Amino acid sequence: MSFDKVETINIYAVERLDNIFSCARIQVIANPHLSTTANPPKVINFTQDGKFAIVAYGPGAQGKSSREPTSRIDVFARDPESGLLGQLLNESDVQQGAYSYEDALFLENETKLLYTDQNNDRLLLYDFNPSTGQISQTPIFIEDDCLELNFPH
């Protein structure tokens, strides 16, 4: 998987023959929010069973934009056999002020999604339902000076 700036999400199949790896692009998806956010996909994560792909969009660290910075998280259906993304199932509310998502991690049997917010040096924790792909609309913020969260910019 890779991102082509703001415009697309690219899905690749990776094959291994002995110690030689090759990859082929198998799907290109247009950014479904290009007309409203102009922010690129920043991070993607897949559920362990392969049924869902979670894509976070947001500005780069300390990024400048002609539009109001926004961020969002989408959940796509995914075919575990082919690796292809399907229908957009769930969109989080657009967040003004923008979280600069840089990394994602599933916790507690995939019932929580933890994201780093690089611009604000904090963590965001969302509830996630691994059966339906539903994600909570509002995160819990984890920020504390004594945690000394400081992500590279």
Side-chain angles (χ1 to χ4, degrees), residues 5-152:
K5 300 187 181 182
V6 174
E7 290 84 16
T8 63
I9 300 168
N10 300 291
I11 305 297
Y12 292 85
V14 178
E15 294 183 5
R16 177 181 174 191
L17 181 59
D18 297 319
N19 288 328
I20 299 172
F21 290 89
S22 64
C23 63
R25 186 167 37 194
I26 59 172
Q27 186 178 27
V28 177
I29 298 175
N31 179 343
H33 311 293
L34 191 57
S35 63
T36 58
T37 66
N39 282 323
K42 295 290 289 181
V43 64
I44 190 166
N45 208 335
F46 303 97
T47 55
Q48 194 169 6
D49 63 7
K51 291 176 21 182
F52 301 107
I54 298 87
V55 180
Y57 305 80
Q62 301 173 343
K64 304 292 183 216
S65 174
S66 59
R67 299 183 185 180
E68 174 68 27
T70 58
S71 57
R72 69 183 322 125
I73 298 174
D74 290 343
V75 179
F76 289 88
R78 181 174 177 267
D79 182 324
E81 296 299 316
S82 69
L84 298 176
L85 301 189
Q87 179 182 0
L88 176 60
L89 300 175
N90 185 33
E91 302 175 54
S92 67
D93 285 343
V94 173
Q95 303 294 327
Q96 298 299 325
Y99 311 135
S100 185
Y101 300 113
E102 286 301 315
D103 204 358
L105 174 70
F106 279 109
L107 301 171
E108 298 181 22
N109 294 321
E110 297 186 333
T111 61
K112 306 282 184 200
L113 264 170
L114 183 70
Y115 284 94
T116 59
D117 178 2
Q118 188 176 26
N119 265 350
N120 299 297
D121 293 329
R122 64 183 172 188
L123 302 173
L124 293 89
L125 185 66
Y126 292 87
D127 289 323
F128 179 74
N129 183 325
S131 298
T132 65
Q134 294 297 304
I135 191 169
S136 60
Q137 295 296 313
T138 307
I140 296 170
F141 298 101
I142 302 170
E143 50 191 334
D144 191 327
D145 290 340
C146 52
L147 291 176
E148 297 185 18
L149 297 173
N150 187 3
F151 305 111

